[in-house]
Amino acid sequence: MNLFKKLKLTDYIIIAIIIVLVAVGTLAVFKKKNFSNLPVEKEATIQFDVFFRGVTISAVENPFKVGDDAFITIRNVPYTKLKIVAMDGQQRMTVVPTADGKDVKVVQDVSMPNLFDFIIKLEDKAKKTPDGFVAGGNKIKMGIPVVIEGANYKYQGTISNVYEVKEEQNK
């Protein structure tokens, strides 16, 4: 009997799918085709600020140190270790009215002595696309959740600023 007469429609569909997968795989391997619809404009060094609100620290010293490496997770996807370029932190502040009631002052909130807000600046290499910067397959945009982890800490924050580092700033 002829082999093709025994094949059913589902067999033909499976064979067609296998042929398509082999063709796509061959193109991907030999042509190194970029299947992304966003072309890479250039490679760039970027810095991005991560804002941490309401970090509770009862230790005497600040866990974030400029120059230290911190492991970064972006959108719940582990990424890599990045160097802390800059750090700005202060104790939680509150607004109180002045004695005459016409003005207000911003002072440290003594009711929350261990509560701090931090902005940590990180630096990385990224690819610039028309849609923004991409580092390690992750879009780096304001509002993206980030977890930063060091030897003694793990905090969750949000990217609050992203910008390209110019060559003059790198020197």
Side-chain angles (χ1 to χ4, degrees), residues 29-43:
V29 170
F30 292 112
K31 299 286 185 175
K32 295 195 186 216
K33 176 146 176 70
N34 183 5
F35 290 104
S36 172
N37 60 354
L38 296 175
V40 174
E41 294 175 359
K42 67 178 182 175
E43 299 273 332

Side-chain angles (χ1 to χ4, degrees), residues 65 67 78 91:
K65 295 191 179 24
Q91 186 178 1

Side-chain angles (χ1 to χ4, degrees), residues 4 18 26 33 49 57 71 74 88 105-106 111 128 141 146 151-152 161:
F4 292 108
I18 291 172
T26 303
K33 176 146 176 70
D49 297 337
I57 300 175
F71 189 81
I74 302 172
D88 183 27
K105 291 179 11 180
V106 178
S111 68
K128 185 174 184 184
K141 294 185 172 196
V146 171
N152 307 352
N161 191 10

Side-chain angles (χ1 to χ4, degrees), residues 73-85:
T73 301
I74 302 172
R75 285 189 178 167
N76 293 326
V77 177
Y79 176 49
T80 189
K81 283 189 175 186
L82 295 177
K83 195 163 291 296
I84 296 175
V85 177

